[in-house]
Amino acid sequence: MKLLSGINARANFLKSLKRQVANLKKRNITPTLAIILNNDSYASSVYVANKQKLCKELGIKSKLFKLPASTTNKQMLALISRLNKDKKINGLFVQLPTSDKIDDDAVINAICPDKDVDCFHNQNVGKIWTASDASNLIKPCTAAGVIELLKFHRIPMEGKLVAIVNRSNIVGKPLATLFLQENATPVILHSRSKNTKEICKQADIVITAVGRAKFFDQSYFKKDAVIVDVGINRDANNKLCGDVNVESLKNFIGWLSPVPGGVGPMTVLMLINNLVILTKKQHGGK
Ligand code: NAP
């Protein structure tokens, strides 16, 4: 079995990002990211801290707006409106999930599309679905991270059958359109799909993202498949694991992305990559 390591891919991508940020700084432009957090979950605070750590490493400014869980939708929208107008802020996002009082859909679509580093705004989602070439567009981070991971490891995508077991807005749907951009043949599967196992077994590339620890055993894969495990779960011993039951892959000679150390390290990078793309566009596109 060959490892689709996100650690090596990350290091390579980071070099290119550093170069681009340095070029912006030579022009006295420091990309600046605003982060809005209004939940007390430990996981969210870790995700936010990781994003801020990467900003620091790259010399990017980040500003955290930590709001109490009692924040109303109106207050949240007012903050977004202020940040949209602030010329010193190049990109912003709201760390999901938000508290019960917040209408996520309204919040996501209140962010100015030109500052939408998550690429969740309807306008940006529509752009990647309709573009004949999406290479210069911002892209949803997890999906973009999967594609960059495959590219780094020189996995051919053109003409390949790709089974994506997930239909969420952050994983499955954007991945389908990004695979189409690579001339692959994506099939989206979900909890109501029939013959999920049989379809996965035919696929050259399988994306597992159901969020269930060790759900997929060897019987789901052909023996030389490329498996990208997006799932982040805890096993019975509270250890971090993916959706794939790695121990079951006995005669497997294909590729597998590990959890941790696979897609995860790529996702945060893609957010900062979107920030850099948007900052350049705000300063004349170079
Ligand atoms: P989600 O919205 O709950 O989506 C899960 C998807 O899996 C749904 O489409 C669901 O189908 C499908 N599903 C569940 N059980 C299934 C089954 N038995 N057979 C076929 N399909 C099944 O979750 P998400 O936000 O997309 O995240 C998915 C996983 O990826 C989670 O573990 C999350 O932590 C992880 N994740 C990782 C990263 C990263 O950077 N590595 C980023 C984001 C998410 P229905 O639509 O029919 O319910």
Side-chain angles (χ1 to χ4, degrees), residues 142 165-168 170 190-191 209-212 215 230-232 267:
T142 307
V165 198
N166 180 298
R167 60 171 160 180
S168 74
I170 62 165
H190 48 79
S191 67
V210 300
R212 295 171 72 172
F215 179 81
V230 178
I232 303 176
T267 302

Side-chain angles (χ1 to χ4, degrees), residues 47 141-143 146 164-172 188-193 196 208-213 215-216 220 229-233 241-243 259 262-268:
Y47 293 144
C141 305
T142 307
V146 169
I164 304 168
V165 198
N166 180 298
R167 60 171 160 180
S168 74
N169 287 339
I170 62 165
V171 182
I188 291 199
L189 299 156
H190 48 79
S191 67
R192 310 284 181 92
S193 297
T196 295
T208 60
V210 300
R212 295 171 72 172
F215 179 81
F216 295 88
Y220 277 84
D229 192 351
V230 178
I232 303 176
N233 315 292
C241 71
D243 286 357
V259 179
V263 178
M266 300 303 290
T267 302
V268 186

